[in-house]
Amino acid sequence: MRSRRSTLILFAVTLLAASLLACSERHLAPKVPQAEPLSSAVETLAGGDTEGYEAAIEPREFVFPKDHGPHPEFKTEWWYFTGHLEAGNGNRFGYQLTFFRQALAPDAPQRTSSWGTRQMIMAHFAVTDVADGSFYSAERLSRAAAGLAGAEGPPLRVWLEDWSITSTTDEVFPLRLRAESREASRFGIDLTLESLKPVVLHGDRGLSQKGDRPGDASYYFSLTRLQAQGEVTIGERVMPVTGSSWLDREWSTSALGENQTGWDWFSVQLEDQRELMIAQLRLTDGSVDPVSHGTLVEADGSTRPLVFGDFEIEVLDTWRSDHGAEYPSRWRARIPSADLDLFIEPLIADQELDGSFRYWEGAVEARSASDTGERGLGYVELVGYADEASSDVDGG
């Protein structure tokens, strides 16, 4: 999705203000008044002006480690990490660290100035403190110029000031994630990741179709089982942690169709070493788009693609944010062909990010709805609900 996403998620940098600034950060705590979003994730992924960019039209051959790095010939791209961590005292944390690359132009004269660039970088960072019931988030954005931000590789390096994804070898792993915000509340991560499973290609050999038109698609792969260790910082507490993470990688030029309003994306790491991804796209009439899809990853790393009709997502509860957006907040996910029937529930209700666009991205847990006993942890992303709420609030 990031369907993230793609999934898509979202890169709202039609951020004219950002193009005038070197770098800025703001805390995204929902209780702090913020400016209205400048663009929605859905509008951004609908493509806008796509002339001059390459498009995801047909399956391609992925080449690693090169494809872990940037693809500037496409308009939009992201490196999307989520995960669950546990400290020695049993305290649990969720985290999200995402870097978005947005092209400002497909082609432009080279400039001698160090400020000359065709790229913008935005980053979203969030930590969920389960024991305290607290959610911390921040956003940064910058021109990819003067060393402030950028993406390169191999070796893979994506950064925005001191927030970064870095690899010390051409083989990508081990991979280090570092981010810390002091804008309102101090919170941070410093993690080292190792991959326990091979790359998973979603859709048709990595071509993830999002709409009916050719090019309404992304190139999309994931690493669904990453072993994590390092530190989480909350205030003055610096806590050693271990846990598991998930990486989504996507790039595209025009991903969503005109009749799509948003998406619900689910990732679940089950205790039996299987992983599940579902990207459910929503249409303007409230129905689910038949291009919705998913992937079931077996314990041995083999994959089973899921198409519309292979799964069912039932909303069991909702939660309303302070901004008026009403999000689904508890689900039942059924995949009959895999004998999976799961209840999925947020670890805390309020995990809404309020930045250049609003969306809900939160840590969840899964448990069997039957007697088969599956349990697991995951993340859910809900995009498009806040756009509807903003229209209602603004009278638009």
Side-chain angles (χ1 to χ4, degrees):
M1 159 176 218
R2 172 145 241 43
S3 252
R4 218 173 185 39
R5 294 169 238 43
S6 310
T7 309
L8 314 170
I9 193 161
L10 1 152
F11 194 160
V13 198
T14 322
L15 301 165
L16 177 59
S19 67
L20 302 177
L21 298 174
C23 181
S24 64
E25 175 183 343
R26 55 179 188 153
H27 181 70
L28 305 185
K31 305 302 184 292
V32 178
Q34 303 284 355
E36 288 303 310
L38 298 176
S39 175
S40 76
V42 174
E43 290 171 341
T44 298
L45 287 170
D49 185 3
T50 61
E51 184 176 354
Y53 296 99
E54 291 191 16
I57 300 291
E58 58 187 6
R60 68 189 294 276
E61 181 180 355
F62 288 81
V63 179
F64 297 105
K66 182 180 178 181
D67 278 326
H68 290 293
H71 302 80
E73 64 274 19
F74 292 81
K75 191 171 184 178
T76 303
E77 182 167 20
W78 52 77
W79 293 258
Y80 218 112
F81 290 87
T82 55
H84 288 257
L85 306 167
E86 185 171 336
N89 62 1
N91 284 0
R92 297 163 59 191
F93 304 91
Y95 82 90
Q96 172 202 351
L97 179 61
T98 309
F99 288 83
F100 305 97
R101 178 196 59 78
Q102 179 81 4
L104 301 172
D107 191 20
Q110 293 293 333
R111 297 169 55 190
T112 57
S113 169
S114 63
W115 291 102
T117 182
R118 303 173 191 174
Q119 306 291 330
M120 294 286 297
I121 301 292
M122 171 185 279
H124 284 181
F125 174 43
V127 172
T128 302
D129 186 335
V130 179
D132 286 351
S134 300
F135 180 70
Y136 306 89
S137 60
E139 173 186 88
R140 285 184 182 180
L141 52 128
S142 174
R143 297 171 62 86
L148 289 171
E152 60 189 26
L156 178 63
R157 181 180 178 229
V158 187
W159 76 98
L160 206 171
E161 291 192 316
D162 60 348
W163 294 8
S164 64
I165 308 165
T166 55
S167 176
T168 57
T169 72
D170 287 350
E171 297 306 315
V172 179
F173 293 98
L175 199 60
R176 189 174 184 184
L177 309 185
R178 288 186 288 182
E180 184 172 312
S181 176
R182 296 173 178 263
E183 188 72 9
S185 302
R186 183 188 179 200
F187 62 101
I189 57 170
D190 187 345
L191 302 173
T192 299
L193 306 181
E194 293 277 6
S195 184
L196 302 180
K197 282 190 171 182
V199 166
V200 172
L201 302 180
H202 299 292
D204 181 6
R205 294 163 287 169
L207 179 69
S208 179
Q209 196 68 34
K210 315 300 186 192
D212 297 331
R213 300 172 302 178
D216 283 349
S218 68
Y219 292 118
Y220 179 21
F221 70 84
S222 298
L223 287 162
T224 60
R225 184 78 62 162
L226 300 173
Q227 181 176 281
Q229 64 177 7
E231 296 177 340
V232 169
T233 299
I234 303 290
E236 298 307 310
R237 296 178 295 153
V238 180
M239 295 156 282
V241 294
T242 58
S244 187
S245 297
W246 179 300
L247 166 63
D248 265 6
R249 283 286 287 115
E250 264 189 287
W251 58 93
S252 66
T253 290
S254 176
L256 296 184
E258 295 179 355
N259 63 338
Q260 294 168 331
T261 62
W263 61 84
D264 306 338
W265 175 87
F266 299 80
S267 69
V268 178
Q269 297 171 319
L270 294 167
E271 290 181 351
D272 65 9
Q273 302 305 301
R274 291 184 295 171
E275 294 89 43
L276 173 66
M277 184 282 291
I278 294 175
Q280 182 169 265
L281 291 148
R282 306 189 310 278
L283 297 174
T284 53
D285 63 3
S287 63
V288 176
D289 195 317
V291 301
S292 298
H293 59 280
T295 305
L296 179 65
V297 184
E298 301 291 351
D300 64 1
S302 61
T303 61
R304 181 194 306 184
L306 302 174
V307 299
F308 185 71
D310 288 342
F311 57 86
E312 178 187 351
I313 305 294
E314 179 185 1
V315 175
L316 302 179
D317 202 356
T318 60
W319 171 80
R320 184 175 293 276
S321 79
D322 290 348
H323 299 108
E326 185 172 355
Y327 298 96
S329 190
R330 187 169 177 263
W331 306 263
R332 187 171 185 174
R334 298 181 180 91
I335 302 94
S337 63
D339 197 27
L340 272 178
D341 188 357
L342 301 171
F343 289 127
I344 299 174
E345 188 167 356
L347 295 181
I348 68 173
D350 188 351
Q351 298 179 83
E352 182 189 46
L353 289 89
D354 176 26
S356 298
F357 48 88
R358 295 192 193 105
Y359 64 105
W360 194 99
E361 176 105 19
V364 301
E365 58 185 355
R367 60 182 177 84
S368 176
S370 60
D371 58 359
T372 52
E374 290 91 353
R375 299 185 66 87
L377 298 171
Y379 256 74
V380 171
E381 179 180 88
L382 306 171
V383 173
Y385 296 94
D387 300 337
E388 299 168 3
S390 296
S391 298
D392 293 341
V393 172
D394 296 341

